[in-house]
């Protein structure tokens, strides 16, 4: 079955440590997105990529980095520069906008809960 | 910049009754998509319903329907015959129409409404 796999489900980070969240999709989608979810704030866009080897900052990119070396994979690194990383992180994919489809929408992964210890 | 506002942080409804979740948005765009997503306790985001702004007819998916008022920039979700499995957080979201070139595909979310369906 096609879908998005995020791992790990739970992740604990020590102060000053970088951690990487995995996101893999087998939907053949070109576009991928990372969102952060905090209580009472909805979801906010961290980074997005519309094609391999290209990505753009979202609204809250500071303290995060990404790579897009393969179409299927869009890992997110939470660096030590991110001062408040405890949150729920969601990855999503879609056919890129502008390709002439009408039933547009995201497919989401099941998320990673990151906690600073 | 576009914004999405959900003014009801929490709501509850008795099983089999009808409930309406409110959403308002602000945009200068004339063509766009609006979505309702459901996030149950498993935290998996599930698309409930989608509305294209240029379509005047309100979208319907089984027990879920929307009341789309473009002039008022309002997009409410009605859940009929509520079921225990409808218990979840519901997010309203906005996106510029995907057919416009240069569109990033960014979804702008509201703060969410937690719905509790009581037996």
């Amino acid at each position: 079955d096609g879908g998005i796999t995020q791992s790990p489900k739970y992740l604990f980070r020590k102060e000053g440590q970088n951690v990487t969240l995995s996101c893999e999709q087998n939907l053949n989608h070109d576009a991928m997105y990372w969102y952060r979810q905090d209580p009472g704030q909805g979801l906010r866009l961290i980074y997005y990529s519309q094609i391999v080897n290209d990505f753009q900052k979202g609204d809250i990119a500071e303290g995060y980095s990404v790579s897009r070396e393969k179409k299927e994979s869009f890992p997110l690194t939470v660096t030590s520069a991110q001062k408040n990383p405890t949150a729920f992180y969601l990855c999503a994919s879609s056919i890129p906008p502008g390709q002439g489809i009408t039933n547009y929408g995201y497919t989401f992964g099941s998320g990673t809960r990151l906690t600073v210890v | 910049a576009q914004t999405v506002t959900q003014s009801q942080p929490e709501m509850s409804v008795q099983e089999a009754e009808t409930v309406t979740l409110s959403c308002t948005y602000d945009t200068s765009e004339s063509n766009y998509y609006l979505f309702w997503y459901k996030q149950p306790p498993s935290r998996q985001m599930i698309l409930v319903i989608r509305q294209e702004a240029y379509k005047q007819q309100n979208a319907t998916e089984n027990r879920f329907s929307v009341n789309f008022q473009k002039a008022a920039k309002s997009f409410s979700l009605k859940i009929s015959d509520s079921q225990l499995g409808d218990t979840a957080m519901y997010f309203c979201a906005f996106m510029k129409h995907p057919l416009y070139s240069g569109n990033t595909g960014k979804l702008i979310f509201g703060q969410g409404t937690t719905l509790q369906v009581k037996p």
Side-chain angles (χ1 to χ4, degrees), chain B:
Chain B
Q2 291 80 20
T3 59
V4 178
T5 302
Q6 294 176 248
S7 58
Q8 307 153 312
E10 296 180 355
M11 296 189 70
S12 64
V13 63
Q14 291 297 129
E15 194 174 9
E17 293 186 348
T18 295
V19 64
T20 298
L21 280 58
S22 300
C23 173
T24 58
Y25 59 95
D26 188 26
T27 184
S28 59
E29 302 287 334
S30 59
N31 207 359
Y32 46 86
Y33 270 63
L34 293 164
F35 303 85
W36 278 99
Y37 280 90
K38 167 184 177 180
Q39 188 179 44
S42 68
R43 305 204 77 173
Q44 178 72 53
M45 291 286 280
I46 302 164
L47 177 64
V48 174
I49 203 163
R50 165 182 40 226
Q51 175 82 42
E52 294 182 61
Y54 70 88
K55 291 186 177 179
Q56 294 185 345
Q57 185 174 6
N58 289 325
T60 300
E61 290 287 343
N62 300 313
R63 298 183 294 105
F64 298 89
S65 61
V66 297
N67 183 4
F68 174 49
Q69 301 290 329
K70 190 173 184 179
K73 296 179 181 176
S74 171
F75 184 60
S76 61
L77 175 69
K78 185 172 81 171
I79 305 174
S80 303
D81 186 25
S82 297
Q83 301 175 359
L84 296 178
D86 295 333
T87 292
M89 180 166 279
Y90 287 82
F91 290 97
C92 178
F94 169 99
M95 186 176 64
K96 294 180 182 179
H97 199 285
L99 292 181
Y100 289 167
S101 64
N103 185 355
T104 64
K106 172 183 173 181
L107 272 175
I108 299 169
F109 288 86
Q111 304 92 325
T113 296
T114 300
L115 175 66
Q116 178 74 42
V117 179
K118 298 180 179 179

Side-chain angles (χ1 to χ4, degrees), chain A residues 7-65:
Chain A
S7 62
K9 190 174 179 69
Y10 299 97
L11 186 59
F12 297 91
R13 192 195 93 167
K14 295 181 181 179
E15 295 283 349
Q17 187 179 47
N18 292 355
V19 292
T20 297
L21 284 59
S22 171
C23 178
E24 303 277 335
Q25 55 101 355
N26 60 4
L27 298 164
N28 201 34
H29 285 167
D30 286 302
M32 297 186 74
Y33 307 85
W34 274 105
Y35 283 83
R36 169 176 170 147
Q37 184 177 9
D38 294 283
Q41 294 193 48
L43 280 72
R44 293 179 291 167
L45 182 65
I46 304 172
Y47 268 98
Y48 65 97
S49 168
Q50 293 190 337
I51 197 169
V52 175
N53 293 321
D54 185 60
F55 49 82
Q56 305 295 328
K57 292 182 179 180
D59 299 318
I60 55 166
E62 184 176 354
Y64 300 97
S65 66

